[in-house]
Each structure stands twice: as C-alpha cells, then as structure tokens.
Amino acid sequence: MSEHYQFYASCPPGLEGLLIDELTEIGATELKEHPTHVTFQGDLAVAYKACLHSRLANRIYLTLLHDRAESTEQFYDKINGVEWGWHFDSHHSFVVDCVSRKNNFITHSGFGALKAKDAIVDFFQERYESRPQIDKDNPDYRIHVLVNGSELKVGLDISGRSLQQRGYRDSSGAAPIKENLAAAMLIRAKWPELAEQGYDFHDPMCGTGTLLIEAAMMAVGMAPGLLNPHFGFHNWKQHDKALWQETLAVTKRQASKNKLNYTGKIIGSDRHRKSLELAQENIHRAGFSDIIDVQEQDIKKPIDLQLAENGLIVTNPPYGERLGNPETIVEIYRVLGDYFKANFQNWNAAMITTEVEYAKAIGLRSNKRYKLKNGALDCQLYLFDIMPENAYEPFDPSKVNPNWEKGLSDGANMLKNRFKKNLQRYKSYLKQNNVTCYRLYDADLPEYSAAVDVYEDEVHIQEYLAPKEIPEKVTIKRLNEIKRVASGVLQIPEVKIHLKQRQRQKGTQQYQKLKDSLEYKKVNEQGLQFYVNLDGYLDTGLFLDHRKTRKMLMGQSKGKKFLNLFSYTGSVSVYAAKGGAKTTTVDMSKTYINWAMKNFALNNINVYGHQFIQTDCLQWLKDNSIEETYDLIFLDPPTFSNSKRMEASFDIQTDHEELIALSMRLLNKTGKLYFSNNFKKFVLSENVMTKFKVFEITAKTLPIDFQKSRNHHRAWLIEHI
C-alpha cells in the first residue's frame, strides 16, 4: 500500500469550497476547509494529479510540520526538528516564505521567514557541517511557513511556480484576470456540464483570451498543468519519477483524445485589435488555435458569429478601477446587456464586476450571485438566464429616476421627509448668503448614519462606520436608500452622487487619500470660488462647517498680516487675501500647498506678495524666530497625524498646549488667534486659559446647517493678556 501524506493547497479567498470539490475528484481524502487554503491527504499519485489538474489552487504544499508554538524559541526548535535531510541536501538552494497572523511573537512575516531560515540552515550545519544556499529568485525548494495564533504549519512547495500561471500567457495585456479566478467563474457558471451537453461558448470582451483558453481546457478535459514544464517536486529527494511519467502520459493521452472529439465552438471578440493579437498568441501557446476563434467586433455593431441556439457567455467587463468615469462604465454595461438580449436569447451568461449599479445596467435579473476577489478588488459574479421574462429596462443613473419614490421603505420615507424639512429650513439662509455648498443631513436619523453634503449640482455622502452588530447587507441597503432619496429630493442624477465610508482614523493622517482622481470641481461660496475633489480624498478640500469662520476672518483682514497653520487647501487664506491681508500659508503636504495656490489663481489673487510654505507646522513654529509677527492667525490642526514627514506623531489633546504657546509667540500684542479642532472629547488646557485671554466662540462660527451636526468643529478666540 502506497504511503499517504498530509498536504495543503492555497487558493484565492472564496474558492475553498470549489477547491475541495476539485481535489475530491482526483482522489484526495480527509479534506478540510480553512481561510485561503484546504488541507487534505493522499499518496504521491494524488499529489502529482493535484499539481497537474487543479484549476483553482495557487500552490500545493507537502505538510512537513503541523504543531503549536508558544514562543520564538519553540518556533525555532519545532522547525529545526523537522528531518530536512529527507527532503533535500545541503548542496541545494531554498527560500522561506512566511505568513503570520494574530501572533504576539512572530509579529512580522519577514522576521518569521528569517527565524525559519536560521532553523533550517542550523539543521544542516549541525548534522552535516555544511549549509544550503539561500536563493530568493530561483531556488531549488520553496518552504512555506504559516503562523496563525499559536498554530504553526510548515510546508514544502511541490508546485514550484504558482499553479495559476499556466504558461500560455506571455504578455498580460490590459487588466488581465488571473487564470484560477477565470476557472472559478466558469465552474460557477456550470461550463464543464454545459460543454458536455454541446453548448457553444462566447466572451464578447475577451481581451487577451484568458476566459477563452480556460473554457477550452475545461471543454476538452485538458489538465492546465500540462503546459508547465517543471514542478517543485522534480527536485524533491522522494520524487517517484516512474509514477510521475506514468501519470503525465495518461493525462496527455486523455487530453489529446478529447481534443480530437470536441465539436463545440468557442468564440471570443473584442474591439481592441492589439488585445486580439495578444489573445491569438496566447491561444497558440496553449495549443487551441484549431478550437478557439477570435474576431474583431464592437458589441454596439454586432457581427454574425454563427453560434448555436444554446450556449454560455462568460465575460469580465471593465470596472471603475480601469476606466474611472462611472457614466462611461454604466453605458458600457447597458450596451452589453442590449447585446445579450438582442443576440443570445435562451443562452446562459455570467459576468463579474465590482459595483451593483453596473450589474443593474445589464437589464437582466440574475438568478445567482457569488462573492469573489479579483486581486484586491471585492467582486460579485452574476449568473443570468437570457430570456424575455428576465429582461427589464435598466435605470439610467445619468438621469433622475422619475419613479424614485415608488416602493420606498418606511425608513426611506422618513429620510425623504427629513431631507425636505432641512431644505426648507436652510432655504432663505442659503439664498441670502450666496451659499451653494452646504450640509443637508448629518445622521439625523440613527438608522441612516451618514453626512450628506451638497456641492451645487453634485452630492458627497460620507457613511459613518456602522456598529459591528449591524449586518453588512443592512448597511449597504441603507446607504443605497440614502443615495436614492438624495437623488430624488435634490433632483440630481445618481451618477453625480459620490459615496465614501468614513472610518475612525487610528494611526493615520487626517486627510487620507482614497484613490488617484484628478477630477476637480469648481464651486462658489459667498462670492469666492474653490476647487473641490469629491472622489480622491476622504475630505473634499473645503470644510463647509468653517464657512462663517472664513467670512469673519475676511472681515478682519484689511491691512493685516495673516498666518494660516495646517492650512489644508488654503480656503481661509483666500478669504483673508480677498479681505486685504498679506497671507502666509503653511502645510506639510505639497499637494495641498499647490491646491491652495490654484485656489488663489481661481480668485484672481496674485500669489506674489503671499507666502506658501510646505513644511511640518509644529517644527516650523519651533524653528521660527520671532522677528516677524502676525495680526491674525488661524490654527486648525488635525486630531491626529503620524506622517512620515513629521519628526514625531501629533495628538491634539496632548500637544495643543505647546502648539498654542508657539503660535502665540508669533502673534503681535494686539493680535487675534483663532483656534479650532474637531476632536469631540477635546478639553482645553487650564494653562492656556491662565496664560491668555480665551473665549469659546463655537456658536458664533457654526453656520445653520452645522448647528445640529454630530461632526463639527469647536472654536476659540485667544488673545494676549
């Protein structure tokens, strides 16, 4: 009886269940699901088949150690105690990869890899007085160490390179999908079963052909590992060459036989000729030039592909991360849905995307959805039956939905009434003060926990982090209701509504960058203009709650020298300069200093005569001699910052006393310092109130739309005694 071994196979998150089914098919036993991997047992034949046949695994590991370690010393001893000489010799090279989770002594994966490497090298040094070499680029052996709490698992990588790298893709092209994710999509869409029934296959946005090639492999029962010339087990001392050659020969014969008997059509199309050229190269490398056909086609102008009455479409359309403009993307999905409905009645379809809105634009009711990961992106795979009864006219988010009030939940109706009430309350104030950017709503109803800000003809929604006990489905439903009601009440298309989730900032900067977005919008405020960015950052570039503060400082600025510390995008400096002050604007961020200068230019203020300083404000205050003083200072620091450009982290509660004292050194004897911050639990130091004249002026600086807000500033006027 052949010897049985313990193994584990890694895979992308969400594919563990499918991987168990796949490994069961090739004879694996004792299977157990874990996050991102599956453990199993089998003999060498099972191991070889897993490497050859798995469409879903990333890597297959032979388990050398599965134990517990409670300290760094135990970690070292357990790994050193493995009989490494049974697996490779000291003249071989190796590398260690480590993943550490929830462990208090292996707190860094790099440290774990280093300790494991030392344990293995010391094993050979102690027993054979020679040591294997470390080769990070092309090692003979890869050792995998997994630390999860006190659990310790060590594996020998018998797959070699990642199994999802089949070998047919030489150039990735634009935004390729990983091969094992493509395989998972096809399996979820039941392609292996449909191929047996004689269905045709089509990918209308085939790019470089990954889905087509994976579909062809499944249709002819070809093991994806047949394209891999070398596996990790080839170097292994216990490798059974005869068994491997027999396994390989059987697999090759079966694939060749199936390929000759295959009569179905697999057709891909794309409008990008360069992608099709790459697809043809990949198809040729995979050996499917006689089975897969690719044609140039724009789905807006379909050509006759001569496909059967029954078939499966599987495709990976563009997401926002690839194209950027939501209006453009939604239109692509609308056209794709029209292409499905006009040309493929009674077919099945599957499509992966990141946004529910994109899936809705297809105009077909899905019958199943599966959560998947495409790299770091959270995606959903939608399955459709293309039939008239499943079709509907998709909502166009570039227009206001005329039926937005239809079917609103009780909560959404309450939200609608609150929006309308707030609009009526602010109406005269907004008109009299020439205000077009304002806060409409700030978690007035606890169930709808978000801030809704209007920026003229667009809306910015910041969802507050929901308590852990509230299910994700509920928070998503409520967020969508906020979006829908805001669109309807304000008559602003949903495509112009920008959503963000605001989480508590722990150990990060206040103004966290979310994504690269160069979309700047020009807005008006009380006769001045400013650039805002509604997508790229957690905050937009204009703090609406300081609207009255800015106007107040403008009124006091004529002929004054004005200092703006932690200036952000310089909006307060613009007001002061327009009021007649000579301004100095200080912020650590080059982006924000440049943004401030753009705001100056937007208001026809010549930047010459005004200073813009990019530096750490606190350090600048410490280094600044008091030769130059200011009549007005605006000090609005973040609650917390640990920017790499700062010498030390900054905490408003701990550091405000020093910050105010340093700022007051630069304030002339009759000057005024306006200090504000957004920390809810902030307590002003007794020392500050003793040394200076201090008046809390929060009520005077809050505009009407922020007086009931849960997230607004507090402000103080500070003067010399």
Side-chain angles (χ1 to χ4, degrees):
M1 185 175 175
S2 58
E3 184 178 356
H4 269 57
Y5 298 90
Q6 296 277 351
F7 300 96
Y8 61 101
S10 63
C11 66
L15 303 191
E16 298 88 351
L18 291 179
L19 181 55
I20 282 181
D21 295 340
E22 183 181 70
L23 293 170
T24 302
E25 283 279 314
I26 61 173
T29 59
E30 303 298 322
L31 294 113
K32 190 174 180 183
E33 182 178 327
H34 304 266
T36 70
H37 74 279
V38 169
T39 56
F40 64 98
Q41 289 184 18
D43 56 16
L44 282 187
V46 166
Y48 294 154
K49 286 177 184 175
C51 290
L52 263 180
H53 291 272
S54 180
R55 304 183 192 279
L56 302 172
N58 285 329
R59 294 180 184 272
I60 310 292
Y61 299 100
L62 168 66
T63 306
L64 306 181
L65 174 68
H66 189 192
D67 206 335
R68 307 194 81 78
E70 304 293 344
S71 66
T72 308
E73 292 73 21
Q74 278 192 19
F75 175 85
Y76 172 94
D77 290 342
K78 301 275 187 183
I79 296 174
N80 181 257
V82 173
E83 187 52 58
W84 293 102
W86 200 72
H87 303 287
F88 61 95
D89 293 323
S90 57
H91 63 267
H92 289 123
S93 63
F94 76 100
V95 70
V96 178
D97 300 309
C98 177
V99 176
S100 179
R101 308 186 191 106
K102 302 176 185 175
N103 185 278
N104 57 11
F105 57 89
I106 304 293
T107 55
H108 187 275
S109 294
F111 173 69
L114 184 63
K115 292 300 290 184
K117 182 266 294 181
D118 290 344
I120 298 168
V121 168
D122 290 349
F123 170 92
F124 284 99
Q125 193 68 47
E126 290 160 5
R127 288 162 180 77
Y128 306 108
E129 296 184 357
S130 63
R131 50 178 291 162
Q133 296 300 306
I134 308 301
D135 186 343
K136 293 182 179 179
D137 299 321
N138 191 28
D140 296 322
Y141 296 91
R142 287 185 176 274
I143 311 300
H144 182 252
V145 177
L146 178 61
V147 183
N148 189 16
S150 61
E151 183 184 16
L152 172 60
K153 192 175 288 185
V154 178
L156 176 69
D157 184 353
I158 61 170
S159 45
R161 71 182 181 189
S162 177
L163 295 177
Q164 59 92 9
Q165 296 174 337
R166 313 288 200 225
Y168 59 74
R169 207 159 68 183
D170 184 47
S171 178
S172 61
I177 194 166
K178 285 189 175 180
E179 294 90 328
N180 52 356
L181 177 60
M185 291 169 60
L186 293 164
I187 292 167
R188 287 293 192 200
K190 308 285 188 210
W191 171 239
E193 296 92 326
L194 296 176
E196 281 190 13
Q197 296 171 35
Y199 277 50
D200 284 354
F201 182 87
H202 177 43
D203 179 357
M205 294 179 170
C206 69
T208 58
T210 303
L211 278 162
L212 299 173
I213 296 168
E214 293 296 319
M217 283 189 188
M218 287 184 187
V220 304
M222 173 182 164
L226 286 177
L227 297 173
N228 191 348
H230 184 84
F231 291 93
F233 57 72
H234 281 130
N235 296 324
W236 183 42
K237 286 177 70 174
Q238 306 306 318
H239 173 44
D240 187 334
K241 292 180 182 178
L243 176 61
W244 165 243
Q245 290 300 327
E246 180 187 343
T247 305
L248 188 62
V250 169
T251 305
K252 282 181 176 178
R253 280 198 303 272
Q254 190 61 51
S256 298
K257 181 181 175 183
N258 292 347
K259 200 172 171 185
L260 288 171
N261 295 332
Y262 185 68
T263 58
K265 283 185 178 178
I266 298 176
I267 296 181
S269 68
D270 205 288
R271 67 187 182 92
H272 298 291
R273 189 170 297 175
K274 182 64 178 174
S275 293
L276 291 177
E277 289 172 2
L278 292 171
Q280 286 172 327
E281 291 173 13
N282 293 340
I283 290 164
H284 176 73
R285 267 190 294 272
F288 288 115
S289 296
D290 54 342
I291 287 179
I292 301 172
D293 183 26
V294 292
Q295 299 190 34
E296 188 175 344
Q297 174 188 245
D298 185 336
I299 58 172
K300 289 181 181 177
K301 301 172 184 176
I303 60 175
D304 184 6
L305 297 173
Q306 299 185 342
L307 288 158
E309 290 185 5
N310 293 314
L312 173 68
I313 293 174
V314 182
T315 194
N316 174 34
Y319 318 146
E321 287 72 15
R322 287 201 245 164
L323 291 186
N325 187 335
E327 292 180 66
T328 304
I329 302 165
V330 166
E331 181 58 26
I332 288 171
Y333 282 76
R334 287 170 63 84
V335 171
L336 183 62
D338 292 342
Y339 177 75
F340 287 175
K341 289 177 278 189
N343 302 284
F344 296 95
Q345 286 294 326
N346 300 316
W347 274 49
N348 300 337
M351 176 204 71
I352 188 172
T353 190
T354 54
E355 306 296 332
V356 175
E357 287 80 3
Y358 302 158
K360 286 181 178 177
I362 290 285
L364 282 167
R365 292 176 187 85
S366 61
N367 55 54
K368 276 191 179 175
R369 300 179 193 177
Y370 296 98
K371 287 184 178 180
L372 293 172
K373 279 262 192 187
N374 188 2
L377 298 176
D378 291 315
C379 297
Q380 285 208 65
L381 178 70
Y382 293 82
L383 305 187
F384 307 97
D385 293 329
I386 307 173
M387 296 179 178
E389 57 266 34
N390 293 331
Y392 62 89
E393 186 62 33
F395 163 60
D396 184 352
S398 66
K399 299 173 184 174
V400 177
N401 182 0
N403 301 313
W404 70 272
E405 289 185 90
K406 187 177 180 181
L408 286 181
S409 67
D410 291 344
N413 270 309
M414 290 172 64
L415 189 69
K416 175 190 75 175
N417 294 334
R418 183 56 61 99
F419 279 12
K420 288 183 174 180
K421 181 181 176 182
N422 289 351
L423 270 179
Q424 188 60 37
R425 180 169 166 241
Y426 304 153
K427 187 177 179 181
S428 60
Y429 162 78
L430 299 175
K431 187 176 181 180
Q432 289 171 17
N433 291 277
N434 192 15
V435 171
T436 56
C437 303
Y438 58 94
R439 177 150 295 181
L440 173 63
Y441 172 91
D442 197 342
D444 304 23
L445 308 175
E447 297 85 357
Y448 295 91
S449 185
V452 180
D453 294 326
V454 178
Y455 286 85
E456 298 183 351
D457 62 342
E458 299 191 46
V459 179
H460 181 259
I461 299 176
Q462 300 174 30
E463 180 197 22
Y464 297 120
L465 189 63
K468 289 181 180 178
E469 60 269 19
I470 297 179
E472 184 183 4
K473 283 185 179 179
V474 174
T475 60
I476 291 172
K477 176 178 178 288
R478 289 172 179 170
L479 184 60
N480 286 330
E481 286 181 325
I482 295 171
K483 185 176 179 181
R484 177 180 173 184
V485 170
S487 172
V489 170
L490 296 165
Q491 289 294 287
I492 291 175
E494 285 194 15
V495 76
K496 289 193 172 186
I497 295 180
H498 308 262
L499 301 177
K500 292 173 194 165
Q501 186 182 66
R502 178 184 284 276
Q503 302 184 14
R504 293 182 188 89
Q505 299 299 297
K506 292 185 179 178
T508 60
Q509 288 180 299
Q510 185 186 22
Y511 315 123
Q512 196 174 36
K513 192 169 184 181
L514 300 180
K515 60 182 178 179
D516 292 318
S517 174
L518 300 177
E519 295 287 325
Y520 286 91
K521 177 181 178 64
K522 194 188 300 180
V523 297
N524 297 281
E525 183 185 82
Q526 302 177 134
L528 299 178
Q529 292 183 304
F530 298 94
Y531 286 114
V532 295
N533 184 314
L534 303 182
D535 286 315
Y537 297 83
L538 198 58
D539 292 292
T540 64
L542 188 65
F543 292 137
L544 301 182
D545 62 324
H546 268 307
R547 189 188 311 121
K548 281 183 76 175
T549 315
R550 289 190 280 270
K551 192 70 177 281
M552 178 180 68
L553 284 164
M554 184 181 187
Q556 299 175 19
S557 291
K558 190 171 184 179
K560 301 288 178 65
K561 288 172 66 178
F562 172 75
L563 174 62
N564 186 3
L565 294 166
F566 300 94
S567 65
Y568 192 34
T569 59
S571 56
V572 182
S573 298
V574 169
Y575 271 85
K578 273 294 187 181
K582 181 181 179 182
T583 67
T584 298
T585 302
V586 186
D587 195 276
M588 187 185 305
S589 166
K590 183 179 180 181
T591 298
Y592 294 137
I593 287 293
N594 289 338
W595 198 331
M597 294 175 76
K598 288 178 183 176
N599 281 334
F600 267 62
L602 189 59
N603 289 280
N604 298 312
I605 306 168
N606 194 327
V607 295
Y608 298 104
H610 299 276
Q611 283 188 294
F612 297 87
I613 301 171
Q614 181 203 340
T615 189
D616 171 2
C617 288
L618 192 55
Q619 194 59 44
W620 182 79
L621 286 169
K622 290 176 181 177
D623 295 342
N624 206 318
S625 67
I626 53 174
E627 294 172 7
E628 183 176 18
T629 58
Y630 297 87
D631 305 299
L632 281 173
I633 298 177
F634 182 62
L635 178 60
D636 184 34
T639 298
F640 182 87
S641 179
N642 66 349
S643 169
K644 292 176 183 177
R645 292 191 293 270
M646 294 178 68
E647 290 191 1
S649 62
F650 174 85
D651 179 274
I652 186 63
Q653 187 60 66
T654 305
D655 299 325
H656 78 274
E657 186 178 329
E658 179 189 19
L659 180 62
I660 290 171
L662 289 168
S663 301
M664 291 298 286
R665 286 172 62 233
L666 300 183
L667 184 72
N668 66 38
K669 292 301 179 184
T670 58
K672 295 179 179 180
L673 182 145
Y674 290 92
F675 167 64
S676 74
N677 70 77
N678 285 71
F679 182 38
K680 285 184 182 179
K681 298 178 182 178
F682 179 77
V683 178
L684 191 66
S685 163
E686 289 285 344
N687 289 338
V688 172
M689 291 188 277
T690 303
K691 289 179 183 177
F692 309 108
K693 287 193 287 185
V694 179
F695 311 92
E696 181 161 2
I697 57 169
T698 304
K700 292 180 181 179
T701 61
L702 283 180
I704 187 173
D705 47 322
F706 279 89
Q707 287 172 2
K708 293 185 178 180
S709 169
R710 62 184 261 182
N711 285 287
H712 61 67
H713 67 262
R714 287 176 66 195
W716 292 263
L717 167 60
I718 304 177
E719 298 174 318
H720 289 293
I721 294 175

